[in-house]
Amino acid sequence: MAALFFFALTLWLGNWQSGRAETKRALQARYDAALAEAPLRLGAATVTSDSVRYRKIEVEGVFDAARTILLDNRIAQGVAGYHVLTPLLPGAGSPGVLVNRGWLPAGRSRAEVPQPPTPAGPVKLQGIAVDPETRYVELGKATTEGRVWQNLDFERYARQSGLRLQPILLLQTTELDDGLYRAWPRPDAGVDMHVGYAFQWYSLATTVAVLWVVMNVKRRPARGD
């Protein structure tokens, strides 16, 4: 009975993880399709995060360098540094867009906060829209030390800056002469993780079945015994 229970349990868990993998495959297909679409130009209307997630976005405006923040402890090419986040203001009453402009290395000491260069005047750029409340930017209860933030709390940033912002974070893909490093990972829905979990549960179910057979099925007696 115990073997039957654990076999049924592990088989059910394997099927559940397989179902999750299929759901994530559909989500991954949605992400890939969004990246393949033509860039969406933002206007005066406020979008929703779900409607533009992983879409290519085109914006034009002026960077507000005074409201730049640095996200600490970001790693690129094995080196610790910062992600540089600056709001881009389109003007004419349109909401601004918080742009992750890229990565720059930390100074020789934490006391040396780098001053990333910011393009002056109007700029036109493209990027990938992500949810500012996603794990990708490690959001949580943020602590701040001037311009250096350990994590991004989007609502807190909007409140402190006093800006009206689109509810997205734009990962800049347009190359500008600012010395920042931009190599954003491909959106990953986590299909492989669920496939791995399913394989583990199915393996356990197989192990339980094999052990039961080995321990409970007697060998047929040889002839003449």
Side-chain angles (χ1 to χ4, degrees), residues 30-40 51 54-57:
R30 174 187 167 191
Y31 291 165
D32 294 341
L35 289 173
E37 294 178 353
L40 173 68
S51 67
Y54 298 122
R55 283 288 305 271
K56 292 178 182 176
I57 300 294

Side-chain angles (χ1 to χ4, degrees), residues 85-191:
L85 275 59
T86 305
L88 185 72
L89 307 180
S94 298
V97 180
L98 186 59
V99 180
N100 188 337
R101 297 168 48 208
W103 175 90
L104 82 166
R108 295 182 179 179
S109 72
R110 289 296 174 179
E112 299 178 10
V113 179
Q115 300 290 333
T118 303
V123 295
K124 184 177 181 180
L125 56 84
Q126 291 185 8
I128 300 171
V130 298
D131 188 342
E133 301 295 339
T134 61
R135 187 175 54 180
Y136 177 78
V137 288
E138 302 177 6
L139 299 188
K141 296 294 183 182
T143 58
T144 65
E145 297 179 5
R147 294 189 307 122
V148 179
W149 293 40
Q150 293 301 315
N151 297 286
L152 173 64
D153 184 321
F154 186 78
E155 291 185 359
R156 178 179 294 182
Y157 177 83
R159 185 168 59 251
Q160 291 186 358
S161 67
L163 298 173
R164 186 167 69 96
L165 298 170
Q166 296 280 9
I168 61 173
L169 180 65
L170 192 67
L171 306 180
Q172 179 181 329
T173 55
T174 299
E175 291 298 329
L176 298 176
D177 188 18
D178 53 15
L180 300 180
Y181 176 75
R182 288 173 278 267
W184 310 117
R186 174 178 175 267
D188 184 5
V191 176

Side-chain angles (χ1 to χ4, degrees), residues 2-127:
L4 180 60
F5 171 78
F6 283 109
F7 176 78
L9 177 62
T10 52
L11 188 62
W12 178 83
L13 288 170
N15 290 338
W16 180 71
Q17 288 292 347
S18 294
R20 291 288 294 161
E22 288 301 320
T23 300
K24 292 299 181 69
R25 284 192 184 93
L27 189 60
Q28 187 67 58
R30 174 187 167 191
Y31 291 165
D32 294 341
L35 289 173
E37 294 178 353
L40 173 68
R41 185 175 180 84
L42 295 183
T46 300
V47 299
T48 64
S49 178
D50 287 342
S51 67
V52 297
R53 185 174 301 167
Y54 298 122
R55 283 288 305 271
K56 292 178 182 176
I57 300 294
E58 184 177 87
V59 290
E60 188 172 359
V62 177
F63 279 121
D64 186 351
R67 291 185 171 90
T68 292
I69 63 171
L70 306 177
L71 297 188
D72 202 357
N73 297 316
R74 278 11 185 212
I75 307 297
Q77 299 178 314
V79 178
Y82 305 89
H83 277 181
V84 181
L85 275 59
T86 305
L88 185 72
L89 307 180
S94 298
V97 180
L98 186 59
V99 180
N100 188 337
R101 297 168 48 208
W103 175 90
L104 82 166
R108 295 182 179 179
S109 72
R110 289 296 174 179
E112 299 178 10
V113 179
Q115 300 290 333
T118 303
V123 295
K124 184 177 181 180
L125 56 84
Q126 291 185 8

